[in-house]
Amino acid sequence: MRLPLQTQILVDEAIESLQSQINDTAIIACSGGIDSTVAAVLAHKAVGSMLHCVYVDTGLMRKNESQEVLSMFSDLGIKLKVVDASKRFFKSLSGVIDPEAKRKAIGEQFIRVFEDEQSRCGAKYLLQGTIAPDWIESGGGERDVIKSHHNVGGLPEDVNLIIVEPLREFYKDEVRQIARQLQIPSSERQPFPGPGLAVRVLGEITPDRVESCREACHIVETRIDEAASLGKCDLPWQYFAALLPVRSVGVHGDTRVHGETIVVRAVTSLDGMSARYSPLPQDLLAEISTEITNSLKGQVNRVVYDITHKPPGTIEWE
Ligand code: XMP
């Protein structure tokens, strides 16, 4: 664990390094997640108005996320431009089933949005909140590609912007410490992947299926937050739902339902590189299951709990 003084040295070094790398307009996509927020705050301190912050609404965000991110940036005193790109993201994902192909399609759309912005503001640099596990799992060094994290291996090759990655050598727990030092309110938020709910909707990505996953994620987050705040369980490191394209027969009242499956995932971890599934209380799981099947009547009729550690599983399902 680093002391506040050591963390301040890291912050000062990161700011100096950004000042030496950036001498013109730089774009950064701010999702509200801790990595991109820390990268944006450091860069804002380093190059001030040369930084152009964009919030890309991909249509793949969690419930209420857009409003929360906008209000956080307004509190941080950083101007954030909103780009509604949901239609183009859904179009590019239409009919795509393979997880790597989805990540590549998402990386590609992000770059096209940045290029549109670039033609408006003349940016030369693209700042990214890439952290060490992202590039390690994307096949950095000698490793096999586990997943092309969209901010690393998911980028197309013809990017016409110089990529700057101030957090490249840091792990999640270190980024959280830097966030606390910078008094960023999202420092205790659970991680959320760059490709958003796309990696939690297995099979075809349609607005309806994303909406089901969004609602299930919201229920899982709300119920677990509530239980943890009442001392009924420890707060897991990450907790969410994924929608599986597995249909099974169920019954609602007197009606047969052939619905899909939601899997609930909750893990403890330090840095996301390895994780253990969280043994949540049975009554909490039962409550979550009932609420999901009631809210998603007709679409989801089965809820399962994932009891896999990482390894051999990964935290997300795709
Ligand atoms: P996995 O699923 O690889 O995830 O065990 C480890 C941590 O990384 C998050 N994750 C991502 N974050 N871009 C990101 O910024 C991505 O493409 C991505 N994929 C996974 C995941 O939520 C977990 O916290």
Side-chain angles (χ1 to χ4, degrees):
M1 177 68 84
R2 286 196 173 95
L3 299 169
L5 190 59
Q6 291 169 314
T7 313
Q8 187 57 48
I9 294 171
L10 291 183
V11 168
D12 294 342
E13 282 174 358
I15 293 173
E16 265 174 44
S17 159
L18 282 166
Q19 282 165 339
S20 70
Q21 289 176 77
I22 299 175
N23 61 10
D24 206 330
T25 308
I27 305 181
I28 182 165
C30 300
S31 63
I34 183 162
D35 305 338
S36 61
T37 307
V38 169
V41 172
L42 288 172
H44 187 250
K45 286 184 185 295
V47 301
S49 61
M50 274 197 280
L51 186 70
H52 181 68
C53 297
V54 181
Y55 174 81
V56 184
D57 184 350
T58 59
L60 301 164
M61 312 306 283
R62 285 171 292 185
K63 200 163 176 168
N64 306 326
E65 192 140 35
S66 301
Q67 299 91 303
E68 285 168 16
V69 176
L70 287 178
S71 100
M72 177 172 72
F73 272 77
S74 142
D75 292 348
L76 287 168
I78 300 179
K79 208 168 134 202
L80 188 61
K81 176 177 174 186
V82 180
V83 176
D84 181 359
S86 49
K87 281 205 184 99
R88 64 194 289 175
F89 274 82
F90 278 116
K91 191 167 169 222
S92 76
L93 287 164
S94 161
V96 182
I97 306 289
D98 177 70
E100 279 299 294
K102 283 181 187 171
R103 282 168 183 270
K104 295 257 148 83
I106 289 169
E108 167 103 33
Q109 286 313 308
F110 268 107
I111 286 296
R112 301 303 159 229
V113 171
F114 300 150
E115 283 173 350
D116 287 353
E117 283 306 304
Q118 183 185 24
S119 64
R120 284 188 197 106
C121 69
K124 191 164 145 194
Y125 301 93
L126 174 65
L127 255 124
Q128 299 238 83
T130 316
I131 61 172
D134 298 346
W135 59 265
I136 293 171
E137 295 197 342
S138 294
E142 303 297 301
R143 305 265 310 232
D144 211 17
V145 175
I146 297 171
K147 297 176 185 181
S148 298
H149 282 229
H150 93 93
N151 39 4
V152 193
L155 294 183
E157 274 158 24
D158 59 337
V159 182
N160 193 15
L161 286 153
I162 301 168
I163 310 268
V164 179
E165 297 173 319
L167 306 178
R168 207 181 147 76
E169 302 305 326
F170 295 118
Y171 286 82
K172 200 67 159 193
D173 52 324
E174 297 172 315
V175 177
R176 280 196 165 148
Q177 229 168 307
I178 295 175
R180 270 179 233 124
Q181 185 79 6
L182 293 168
Q183 296 181 339
I184 295 173
S186 74
S187 55
E188 306 309 327
R189 270 172 49 141
Q190 61 160 318
F192 185 62
L197 296 176
V199 296
R200 297 181 180 170
V201 174
L202 282 80
E204 199 180 359
I205 296 184
T206 62
D208 283 353
R209 295 190 75 231
V210 170
E211 189 50 43
S212 298
C213 181
R214 179 180 291 125
E215 189 55 33
C217 277
H218 179 67
I219 293 169
V220 170
E221 282 193 30
T222 313
R223 290 288 153 251
I224 293 182
D225 283 341
E226 206 175 72
S229 71
L230 293 171
K232 291 186 183 167
C233 65
D234 290 333
L235 189 68
W237 191 77
Q238 197 169 5
Y239 41 109
F240 56 89
L243 178 67
L244 309 184
V246 175
R247 284 191 183 273
S248 63
V249 175
V251 59
H252 254 304
D254 291 337
T255 318
R256 175 189 183 275
V257 188
H258 195 215
E260 290 192 303
T261 306
I262 283 285
V263 59
V264 177
R265 180 90 165 124
V267 296
T268 55
S269 178
L270 182 62
D271 54 15
M273 293 295 285
S274 62
R276 297 189 71 77
Y277 90 84
S278 300
L280 294 180
Q282 292 293 329
D283 56 343
L284 173 59
L285 288 172
E287 240 177 71
I288 289 173
S289 163
T290 305
E291 200 172 333
I292 289 176
T293 47
N294 281 343
S295 294
L296 301 175
K297 236 176 231 163
Q299 294 149 55
V300 168
N301 60 346
R302 211 162 285 264
V303 177
V304 297
Y305 189 54
D306 184 348
I307 54 168
T308 322
H309 303 310
K310 173 184 179 176
T314 53
I315 297 177
E316 303 287 347
W317 269 56
E318 280 196 342

